[in-house]
Amino acid sequence: MLIKFSQLFYGLIILYYGWFQVVFFQVPNGLLILGSGMIFCIILDALMTKRNLLDYITKEIFLWFIFALTSFLFGIFLVENKGSLFSSILTFSQFLFLIYGIVYISKRKGTINFFVNIFIIFAVICAFTTVTLGVEVGQGRISMGTRANPNSVGITMALGVVFILYRLDFRRFMYSTASLGIVGLLTYATLLTGSRKSLIAIILILIYWCLFVIVNDLKSLDIFTKLKIIFLLTIVSIAFYYIIYPLFKDSVIFSRLLTLFEAGDETREGMYSEALKFFQDSPIVGIGFNNYRNLSFFGKYSHSTYAEALACTGIIGTILYFVPYLLLLYKYIKLSFLYNIGYSVMKQSRVMLGAFISLLFLGVGVIHFYEMTSSIAFGMLIAFCKVNKTNSLVAEKNKNQSRKKRRSLYASN
């Protein structure tokens, strides 16, 4: 029961922080209240079931906690506006607790399906709001509300597509049809936001899915189901060409892409150059967490996870923040290509690897450690590895035993 209450609080968190507050109004300390409710239920559940809460702190979460701690300690000496520093670190810390909650609940339930389903619902609500009630926020770009960054909405759409593909099951024809229809809705909403990198991310994830997931998926189906799926994909492709493509040609994102390819983005280039200068001025500890916007000529953050980490946290912070990326990449490469862990897990692992690659790409244009949506995605990536760790270890053990047997046979011969 307590786990269900923690899930309820999580659902309220994502809908409030990612949708309600930017479309309607903010509730003072809303995220803190809902997050505290989720963590309180988790603590009670751990006490009642005699579980060690520390067992659910993964290496990634631990390193990001050290990242937050060092950023705060260094920031005290580097940032003039201490209130802004404390607020930024508090928000990031809340994201860490959110990630921890995702890991704990997923491990208790033995699956991340709840979080995948909630994210899909969240993405659909955001897409529907953008399409029907969206407002222009400048340069013809549409967002959910005046307080909603269209790039953040675009990230939600791109990740929503990933998690729809995660749940897609071609053995359920009507479900597959509806899922691909939702992908079309999210893609259209992305066109309205004018988020170039989100649209490119959607295109890349669909190509990746076709090459590394759908081909193997079709092999496991009977001939009649294969024909239905091929027919469905053909219809979807035609629909995209005659519906989505004309909308794309007439959208603001098309002109923004043309401008980018023809002349580049001088503002972004200037931001990245300035970030490099800040890093060179203070390479070890940076200029202070979320302090780029205070010192920059542009008066904004750097629009890049990589530039922001280097400029604001220096070498120390950059290592602490990005080592978890390397750990996740290593884990997903193992899960995606250890065929003896079971086809279903391997298929899901490959989709999640695609999600991780999408986040790496999106990090060029957004700052993940300032984004709740990105934090949720990383939470699900970490939770999936945690849930499937046992299968991975067993698979690796079996693989090593097979190698030893083959070696012994070769030696005996």
Side-chain angles (χ1 to χ4, degrees), residues 355-375:
F356 178 70
I357 294 171
S358 297
L359 287 170
L360 291 179
F361 173 74
L362 290 169
V364 176
V366 299
I367 304 171
H368 290 314
F369 45 84
Y370 298 158
E371 291 277 347
M372 187 199 71
T373 305
S374 299
S375 299

Side-chain angles (χ1 to χ4, degrees), residues 237-301:
S237 300
I238 293 172
F240 261 78
Y241 181 77
Y242 285 102
I243 298 176
I244 299 295
Y245 181 66
L247 292 173
F248 167 69
K249 288 181 65 178
D250 296 332
S251 68
V252 64
I253 201 170
F254 182 72
S255 59
R256 295 187 77 232
L257 282 170
L258 285 179
T259 302
L260 177 65
F261 293 142
E262 292 174 358
D265 193 327
E266 293 182 2
T267 301
R268 293 289 177 91
E269 291 173 2
M271 288 178 172
Y272 301 157
S273 297
E274 195 173 41
L276 181 60
K277 179 181 179 300
F278 287 148
F279 170 69
Q280 291 171 342
D281 292 340
S282 180
I284 305 301
V285 296
I287 59 175
F289 191 81
N290 201 12
N291 200 33
Y292 179 97
R293 69 180 71 202
N294 298 323
L295 302 179
S296 172
F297 167 80
F298 300 96
K300 302 176 181 179
Y301 52 80

Side-chain angles (χ1 to χ4, degrees), residues 367-412:
I367 304 171
H368 290 314
F369 45 84
Y370 298 158
E371 291 277 347
M372 187 199 71
T373 305
S374 299
S375 299
I376 289 171
F378 276 113
M380 285 192 276
L381 285 167
I382 295 170
F384 184 87
C385 289
K386 184 74 172 176
V387 169
N388 292 284
K389 181 179 180 180
T390 302
N391 291 335
S392 177
L393 292 174
V394 171
E396 192 168 10
K397 182 179 179 181
N398 292 336
K399 196 171 183 179
N400 290 334
Q401 288 177 346
S402 300
R403 287 174 179 171
K404 289 179 180 178
K405 287 181 181 179
R406 286 198 298 269
R407 289 172 183 171
S408 62
L409 287 173
Y410 290 145
S412 62

Side-chain angles (χ1 to χ4, degrees), residues 59-60 63-64 67 92 304-330 356 359-364 366-369 378:
K59 293 178 182 178
E60 295 87 357
L63 287 169
W64 281 337
F67 168 74
F92 179 70
S304 168
T305 300
Y306 312 105
E308 190 83 4
L310 280 171
C312 293
T313 65
I315 294 174
I316 293 176
T318 299
I319 291 173
L320 288 171
Y321 180 74
F322 284 111
V323 165
Y325 280 49
L326 298 177
L327 292 174
L328 284 172
L329 181 60
Y330 174 69
F356 178 70
L359 287 170
L360 291 179
F361 173 74
L362 290 169
V364 176
V366 299
I367 304 171
H368 290 314
F369 45 84
F378 276 113

